[in-house]
Each structure stands twice: as structure tokens, then as C-alpha cells.
Amino acid sequence: MSLWKKAPPDAAAITAKVTAVAEQKWKESLGLKMGNPADADFIGWQTALSAPFPMAWPSGDPTLAFYAFAWGMNPFVLKDGQYVGPTWARITHSPHDAKTELTLLDMRLESRGVRGIRPLRQEELGILEVKPLEVLLGPRTKAGDEKLKAYYCLQRSLGNLPSEAVAAHAAFFEWLDCR
């Protein structure tokens, strides 16, 4: 059963809109901190968006939340990982009215630790090819549910999901039942 009277919203258009809102606020509020990359305390910060999370689960409300987080590098100091920064914003998008809103969370641009990156197995690479936004916008199916569970549970095991998302979307994570 579909939530949409017509065709489902365009996932690429939603992603582009949410990304544009996040990048504009990043530039306005946090931007690039200038400094000398050779300094031991320099971190070249960047921002990225999380996968989408349903605001209510299960529900007929298709409003989604994306989380913007900071990550950083200093190749003179850290060569095999990245600095973990704050989850600095939540961006919600309602496909019904195309309304996108940004809420600032934590604007302290500082390292919260270091995250390493491990090689992925072939089956994990396949799981990461799932496009969760397209699955969330489409009709609920058993196959779609299994793809969502595999995708989000893998992302959680890799440390790629902001703790703020896990806390704010508890019903969704309870349904995922990641083990």
C-alpha cells in the first residue's frame, strides 16, 4: 500500500534539497576554520549527512529526518582514520508539502574522538548499495523491510549513525532489532 495519491516523491530531489539546506547553514555557521594544516591541533572539518530516518515508525507520516555531522582530517597527524565531530543539525523534510526545516543541535566544532575505517566484506558492499530513502518513500514490502534492516544495522555496527538519531528514533531502531 502506498502513501502517495500520485507517484512517490523524487528521492534525488529530496536529497538535493536537504543537502543544500545543510551546506548553506554549514557555510554560514561553521564554515572552514582557517589555520596551518601542519599544526598538531589543526583539523580540516567537513560535513556530511546521515541516511534518512522516519520521524514516526510505523506510521502514515512520511516526514524524514537527516542528521548533519562534522568529520575531520589532518594528514600530518592522523593517516588511517578521521576525527569525529559533533552532530550539528537535524534537517526534517516532509514529502507531502516539500517543507524542509533545519534545527541546530551542537555547534561546538571540536573532536569527539577518532574513528578508524576497516575494509568491508563483499556482502557488506552489497548492503551499502541500498538506497534507504527510496525504500522509505516506496510501498512497504517484506523485501524492502529486510533491505532497511540490513542497511541500518550495518551502518550502526560500523559507527556511521549519529547517537542522536538512535535516541530520537527509538521506535525505528526497536523495529530494526539490530543484533
Side-chain angles (χ1 to χ4, degrees):
M1 184 169 115
S2 178
L3 297 170
W4 315 108
K5 293 178 182 161
K6 299 178 185 175
D10 180 5
I14 291 171
T15 301
K17 185 172 184 178
V18 169
T19 300
V21 167
E23 287 179 353
Q24 180 62 36
K25 185 53 87 172
W26 172 260
K27 288 175 187 172
E28 290 172 5
S29 302
L30 297 170
L32 298 174
K33 297 228 174 193
M34 302 309 277
N36 182 352
D39 291 344
D41 60 348
F42 174 83
I43 299 175
W45 291 106
Q46 297 184 41
T47 189
L49 283 176
S50 72
F53 299 91
M55 288 297 289
W57 188 265
S59 166
D61 178 7
T63 301
L64 300 165
F66 298 77
Y67 291 83
F69 56 92
W71 65 275
M73 305 269 310
N74 181 333
F76 294 105
V77 177
L78 181 64
K79 294 179 180 17
D80 59 352
Q82 63 188 20
Y83 294 100
V84 177
T87 301
W88 62 271
R90 179 182 61 241
I91 303 102
T92 56
H93 180 82
S94 172
H96 279 307
D97 60 12
K99 187 176 182 181
T100 302
E101 295 179 349
L102 184 141
T103 303
L104 294 175
L105 300 175
D106 186 347
M107 303 297 289
R108 295 170 296 164
L109 196 53
E110 60 192 20
S111 177
R112 311 287 162 79
V114 173
R115 179 174 68 174
I117 301 165
R118 69 165 175 81
L120 296 174
R121 297 185 309 269
Q122 191 64 40
E123 62 270 13
E124 292 172 327
L125 292 171
I127 290 169
L128 293 178
E129 290 178 2
V130 169
K131 294 180 170 55
L133 180 56
E134 291 177 9
V135 177
L136 288 168
L137 291 173
R140 290 279 309 273
T141 65
K142 184 175 180 178
D145 285 355
E146 292 305 314
K147 287 179 181 181
L148 286 177
K149 287 181 179 189
Y151 179 86
Y152 284 96
C153 289
L154 176 59
Q155 290 285 27
R156 188 169 186 190
S157 75
L158 295 173
N160 292 338
L161 301 181
S163 60
E164 294 83 355
V166 176
H169 305 277
F172 182 63
F173 281 93
E174 185 176 316
W175 172 79
L176 290 171
D177 192 29
C178 299
R179 298 182 192 274

